[in-house]
Amino acid sequence: MRVASVRTRVVSAPYVRPFVISSGASPDLVSLVVEVTTDEGLTGYGEASPMTAYTGDTLPGLTAAVTEYAGPALIGRDPLDVAGAHAAMDAAIRGQQLAKAALDLALHDLAGRVAGWPVHVLLGGRIRERVPTTWVVGLGTLEEMAAEAAEYAAKGFTHIKVKGGVDPAADIELVRAVRAVLPPGTELSLDANEGYDPTTAARTLARMADAGLDLVEQPLPRWDLDGLAALRRRIGVRVMADESMQSPHDALEIVRRGAADVLNIKILKVGGLHRARQVAAVAEAAGLAVKIGSMPELGVATLAAVHLAAALPHATVPADLVGPLMVREEPLAPTAFASAGTGWVKVPTGAGLGHDLG
């Protein structure tokens, strides 16, 4: 069996509310769906969502990377040789992790379908039958964000993440306001998306800790690992690395510097499930927890995150599996996410990723 073709198509869905982070706003969730088909007529599906404000990737650039470089490198190869596929893609084009991730997910989906196994079996097995998920509150007014946090906590989400990073003083008030409306036992995190500087971050986060913050995500610029390490030693809040964590090499350096308590593994950001497992192994060896993150994405890539979160014992911070819940209508995996609005996603048990395509 050999890879015979790679095809792409664009799928989009409008957000229920425009998704706003400190680096920009998105009215629609736009994804590139990738189809890898073999000479025996079997197809696997992958997906990548180019959130330009976050990664710098654009849809035309992502499409070109898949169709002109990474995809052609797979033609004629054994689709079950995922490690070899990554070597071939890396030889064909440097970087372009989203393109490689989309193809990686399609290969995993295909391998699961060939074997008759769900993808989590390919990742080592399932230790969770359902995966707890975080509700992510995008930027808005304090009142809007607090109300949304309260709404989703009442639905059953036990971890609420709010976006911040634009105004540290306002973020302190945001943490106070959100904590005041959350039920006891609900975890609260804030994602600054690199928005703070070392001078103000320590004071800001100390006050947030007093206000009830449990975890802060990427408070400083991605390159400032020494600053993250110093900040982590000074504050009483766990620190999670996201933008600083782009590859297995980054994971190793974060561990060496003592720069984080938690690694946010975004499957698209690191290049797919194959690379995500390598990052997870570094974290596990170092005794760090991981969170399976999201850009966000639609159903195919979000399902890959579900399988990975189900397979990792140290994925103890609830995953960001909310992309399909943030859009008006999920176009790729509506069945899988039909009952996911209560803070949990059931792990699919059918062959492949478990989407509704093909």
Side-chain angles (χ1 to χ4, degrees), residues 4 22 36 74 96 106 128 132 136 146 160 246 263 284 332 348:
S22 61
V36 175
L74 303 185
Q96 295 295 330
R128 301 176 181 91
V136 183
I160 302 294
Q246 308 274 341
L263 298 185
E284 186 172 23
L332 306 179

Side-chain angles (χ1 to χ4, degrees), residues 198-242:
T199 303
T200 59
R203 294 194 303 272
T204 297
L205 290 169
R207 294 175 66 185
M208 287 184 184
D210 291 340
L213 188 69
D214 296 298
L215 183 150
V216 63
E217 182 174 352
Q218 199 66 46
L220 300 180
R222 68 191 70 187
W223 48 264
D224 192 6
L225 294 184
D226 287 338
L228 280 175
L231 187 63
R232 178 173 170 252
R233 290 191 294 267
R234 293 182 60 186
I235 62 174
V237 173
R238 289 194 296 170
V239 174
M240 180 161 65
D242 179 9

Side-chain angles (χ1 to χ4, degrees), residues 20 34 38 69 83 212 275 280:
V20 185
V34 174
T38 72
Y69 297 94
R275 297 298 184 205

Side-chain angles (χ1 to χ4, degrees), residues 17-33:
R17 306 178 185 88
F19 187 55
V20 185
I21 64 175
S22 61
S23 55
S26 302
D28 301 293
L29 206 172
V30 180
S31 281
L32 187 73
V33 174

Side-chain angles (χ1 to χ4, degrees), residues 82 90 177 328:
V82 177
D90 288 345
R328 296 188 185 278

